[in-house]
Short mmCIF file of all heavy atoms in Angstrom, two decimals:
data_model
loop_
_atom_site.label_atom_id
_atom_site.label_comp_id
_atom_site.label_asym_id
_atom_site.label_seq_id
_atom_site.Cartn_x
_atom_site.Cartn_y
_atom_site.Cartn_z
N ARG A 997 -20.85 -31.63 -74.24
CA ARG A 997 -19.53 -31.93 -74.75
C ARG A 997 -19.54 -33.16 -75.57
O ARG A 997 -18.83 -33.26 -76.72
CB ARG A 997 -18.46 -32.24 -73.54
CG ARG A 997 -18.08 -30.90 -72.85
CD ARG A 997 -17.37 -31.21 -71.55
NE ARG A 997 -16.69 -30.03 -71.09
CZ ARG A 997 -16.34 -29.82 -69.83
NH1 ARG A 997 -16.48 -30.83 -68.95
NH2 ARG A 997 -15.82 -28.65 -69.46
N GLU A 998 -20.40 -34.16 -75.33
CA GLU A 998 -20.64 -35.43 -76.15
C GLU A 998 -21.16 -34.98 -77.47
O GLU A 998 -20.96 -35.83 -78.34
CB GLU A 998 -21.39 -36.39 -75.44
CG GLU A 998 -20.60 -37.03 -74.18
CD GLU A 998 -21.56 -37.93 -73.32
OE1 GLU A 998 -22.81 -38.01 -73.74
OE2 GLU A 998 -21.06 -38.63 -72.48
N ALA A 999 -21.84 -33.92 -77.53
CA ALA A 999 -22.40 -33.42 -78.77
C ALA A 999 -21.40 -32.60 -79.64
O ALA A 999 -21.68 -32.19 -80.66
CB ALA A 999 -23.60 -32.61 -78.57
N GLY A 1000 -20.12 -32.56 -79.12
CA GLY A 1000 -19.10 -31.83 -79.80
C GLY A 1000 -19.06 -30.32 -79.57
O GLY A 1000 -18.30 -29.69 -80.32
N ILE A 1001 -19.70 -30.02 -78.48
CA ILE A 1001 -19.68 -28.47 -78.31
C ILE A 1001 -18.64 -28.16 -77.12
O ILE A 1001 -18.69 -28.70 -76.13
CB ILE A 1001 -21.05 -27.97 -77.65
CG1 ILE A 1001 -22.10 -28.22 -78.93
CG2 ILE A 1001 -21.05 -26.59 -77.36
CD1 ILE A 1001 -23.57 -27.95 -78.55
N PRO A 1002 -17.77 -27.25 -77.29
CA PRO A 1002 -16.85 -26.87 -76.20
C PRO A 1002 -17.60 -26.23 -75.16
O PRO A 1002 -18.28 -25.26 -75.41
CB PRO A 1002 -15.73 -25.90 -77.04
CG PRO A 1002 -15.96 -26.19 -78.45
CD PRO A 1002 -17.41 -26.60 -78.65
N VAL A 1003 -17.35 -26.66 -73.96
CA VAL A 1003 -17.98 -26.10 -72.71
C VAL A 1003 -16.86 -25.54 -71.94
O VAL A 1003 -16.03 -26.38 -71.47
CB VAL A 1003 -18.91 -27.00 -71.99
CG1 VAL A 1003 -19.52 -26.23 -70.85
CG2 VAL A 1003 -19.96 -27.49 -73.00
N TRP A 1004 -16.81 -24.36 -71.49
CA TRP A 1004 -15.85 -23.76 -70.59
C TRP A 1004 -16.56 -23.57 -69.20
O TRP A 1004 -17.66 -22.78 -69.09
CB TRP A 1004 -15.47 -22.41 -71.07
CG TRP A 1004 -14.34 -21.74 -70.13
CD1 TRP A 1004 -14.56 -21.05 -69.07
CD2 TRP A 1004 -12.87 -21.80 -70.24
NE1 TRP A 1004 -13.42 -20.52 -68.50
CE2 TRP A 1004 -12.34 -21.04 -69.17
CE3 TRP A 1004 -12.15 -22.41 -71.25
CZ2 TRP A 1004 -10.95 -20.85 -69.09
CZ3 TRP A 1004 -10.69 -22.18 -71.05
CH2 TRP A 1004 -10.15 -21.50 -69.98
N VAL A 1005 -16.06 -24.23 -68.18
CA VAL A 1005 -16.74 -24.28 -66.75
C VAL A 1005 -15.86 -23.27 -65.89
O VAL A 1005 -14.65 -23.67 -65.80
CB VAL A 1005 -16.86 -25.64 -66.30
CG1 VAL A 1005 -17.60 -25.51 -64.93
CG2 VAL A 1005 -17.64 -26.51 -67.21
N THR A 1006 -16.51 -22.35 -65.32
CA THR A 1006 -15.75 -21.47 -64.32
C THR A 1006 -15.99 -22.01 -62.94
O THR A 1006 -16.98 -22.62 -62.53
CB THR A 1006 -16.37 -20.08 -64.43
OG1 THR A 1006 -17.73 -20.08 -64.16
CG2 THR A 1006 -16.07 -19.47 -65.80
N VAL A 1007 -14.97 -21.75 -62.13
CA VAL A 1007 -15.12 -22.02 -60.66
C VAL A 1007 -14.67 -20.74 -59.97
O VAL A 1007 -13.62 -20.27 -60.00
CB VAL A 1007 -14.17 -23.09 -60.24
CG1 VAL A 1007 -14.10 -23.31 -58.65
CG2 VAL A 1007 -14.35 -24.42 -60.89
N ILE A 1008 -15.83 -20.13 -59.40
CA ILE A 1008 -15.61 -18.81 -58.71
C ILE A 1008 -16.33 -18.90 -57.34
O ILE A 1008 -17.42 -18.83 -57.19
CB ILE A 1008 -16.39 -17.63 -59.65
CG1 ILE A 1008 -15.50 -17.63 -61.03
CG2 ILE A 1008 -16.31 -16.30 -58.92
CD1 ILE A 1008 -16.26 -16.70 -62.01
N ARG A 1009 -15.37 -18.67 -56.38
CA ARG A 1009 -15.82 -18.69 -54.95
C ARG A 1009 -15.43 -17.49 -54.13
O ARG A 1009 -15.89 -17.33 -53.03
CB ARG A 1009 -15.38 -20.01 -54.29
CG ARG A 1009 -15.93 -21.28 -54.78
CD ARG A 1009 -14.95 -22.47 -54.45
NE ARG A 1009 -13.74 -22.27 -55.13
CZ ARG A 1009 -12.85 -23.24 -55.21
NH1 ARG A 1009 -13.10 -24.41 -54.82
NH2 ARG A 1009 -11.69 -23.00 -55.81
N THR A 1010 -14.57 -16.64 -54.77
CA THR A 1010 -14.10 -15.46 -54.09
C THR A 1010 -13.97 -14.35 -55.15
O THR A 1010 -14.00 -14.61 -56.37
CB THR A 1010 -12.69 -15.78 -53.51
OG1 THR A 1010 -11.68 -15.92 -54.61
CG2 THR A 1010 -12.61 -16.88 -52.51
N VAL A 1011 -13.87 -13.18 -54.68
CA VAL A 1011 -13.68 -12.07 -55.57
C VAL A 1011 -12.50 -12.20 -56.40
O VAL A 1011 -12.31 -11.90 -57.53
CB VAL A 1011 -13.69 -10.70 -54.71
CG1 VAL A 1011 -13.29 -9.51 -55.61
CG2 VAL A 1011 -14.98 -10.56 -54.08
N GLU A 1012 -11.32 -12.61 -55.82
CA GLU A 1012 -10.01 -12.82 -56.43
C GLU A 1012 -10.12 -13.86 -57.51
O GLU A 1012 -9.60 -13.67 -58.58
CB GLU A 1012 -8.88 -13.25 -55.46
CG GLU A 1012 -7.62 -13.08 -55.96
CD GLU A 1012 -7.15 -11.57 -56.38
OE1 GLU A 1012 -7.54 -10.66 -55.71
OE2 GLU A 1012 -6.59 -11.43 -57.51
N GLU A 1013 -10.88 -14.96 -57.18
CA GLU A 1013 -11.03 -15.93 -58.16
C GLU A 1013 -11.83 -15.40 -59.45
O GLU A 1013 -11.67 -15.78 -60.54
CB GLU A 1013 -11.76 -17.12 -57.64
CG GLU A 1013 -11.02 -18.13 -56.87
CD GLU A 1013 -11.62 -19.43 -56.44
OE1 GLU A 1013 -12.87 -19.36 -56.30
OE2 GLU A 1013 -10.97 -20.36 -55.99
N ALA A 1014 -12.89 -14.50 -59.11
CA ALA A 1014 -13.59 -13.88 -60.15
C ALA A 1014 -12.74 -13.11 -61.20
O ALA A 1014 -12.76 -13.33 -62.34
CB ALA A 1014 -14.67 -12.88 -59.71
N PHE A 1015 -11.75 -12.29 -60.63
CA PHE A 1015 -10.93 -11.58 -61.58
C PHE A 1015 -10.12 -12.61 -62.46
O PHE A 1015 -9.93 -12.38 -63.69
CB PHE A 1015 -9.96 -10.73 -60.73
CG PHE A 1015 -10.69 -9.77 -59.79
CD1 PHE A 1015 -10.20 -9.32 -58.70
CD2 PHE A 1015 -11.83 -9.06 -60.36
CE1 PHE A 1015 -10.89 -8.44 -57.80
CE2 PHE A 1015 -12.45 -8.05 -59.58
CZ PHE A 1015 -11.89 -7.78 -58.32
N THR A 1016 -9.56 -13.60 -61.79
CA THR A 1016 -8.66 -14.53 -62.54
C THR A 1016 -9.46 -15.33 -63.51
O THR A 1016 -9.08 -15.43 -64.68
CB THR A 1016 -7.93 -15.41 -61.58
OG1 THR A 1016 -7.12 -14.66 -60.65
CG2 THR A 1016 -7.07 -16.36 -62.19
N SER A 1017 -10.59 -15.83 -63.02
CA SER A 1017 -11.40 -16.69 -63.90
C SER A 1017 -11.93 -16.00 -65.08
O SER A 1017 -11.99 -16.52 -66.24
CB SER A 1017 -12.50 -17.27 -63.07
OG SER A 1017 -13.34 -18.22 -63.88
N LEU A 1018 -12.45 -14.75 -64.76
CA LEU A 1018 -13.05 -14.07 -65.89
C LEU A 1018 -12.00 -13.69 -67.02
O LEU A 1018 -12.31 -13.82 -68.16
CB LEU A 1018 -13.79 -12.78 -65.42
CG LEU A 1018 -15.07 -13.07 -64.69
CD1 LEU A 1018 -15.68 -11.84 -64.09
CD2 LEU A 1018 -16.17 -13.69 -65.62
N ALA A 1019 -10.78 -13.33 -66.57
CA ALA A 1019 -9.71 -12.91 -67.54
C ALA A 1019 -9.51 -14.19 -68.41
O ALA A 1019 -9.28 -14.06 -69.54
CB ALA A 1019 -8.55 -12.44 -66.77
N ARG A 1020 -9.28 -15.28 -67.73
CA ARG A 1020 -8.98 -16.53 -68.50
C ARG A 1020 -10.14 -16.87 -69.41
O ARG A 1020 -9.86 -17.33 -70.58
CB ARG A 1020 -8.63 -17.69 -67.46
CG ARG A 1020 -7.50 -17.49 -66.73
CD ARG A 1020 -7.25 -18.72 -65.75
NE ARG A 1020 -6.99 -19.94 -66.66
CZ ARG A 1020 -7.78 -20.97 -66.72
NH1 ARG A 1020 -8.94 -21.10 -66.08
NH2 ARG A 1020 -7.48 -21.99 -67.48
N MET A 1021 -11.42 -16.70 -68.95
CA MET A 1021 -12.55 -17.05 -69.78
C MET A 1021 -12.46 -16.22 -71.02
O MET A 1021 -12.71 -16.75 -72.20
CB MET A 1021 -13.78 -16.87 -69.05
CG MET A 1021 -15.15 -17.22 -69.82
SD MET A 1021 -16.66 -16.58 -68.89
CE MET A 1021 -16.59 -14.96 -69.42
#
């Protein structure tokens, strides 16, 4: 990020979070 590169960090601990997180990503 300090080098100016956008980094998208996922938080996935459950199957339901996977669906929501991947769609947003």
Side-chain angles (χ1 to χ4, degrees):
R997 285 174 171 158
E998 289 174 352
I1001 298 172
V1003 182
W1004 181 276
V1005 181
T1006 59
V1007 176
I1008 298 176
R1009 296 157 297 197
T1010 67
V1011 173
E1012 194 61 41
E1013 281 185 341
F1015 299 142
T1016 301
S1017 178
L1018 290 171
R1020 292 183 67 246
M1021 182 190 80

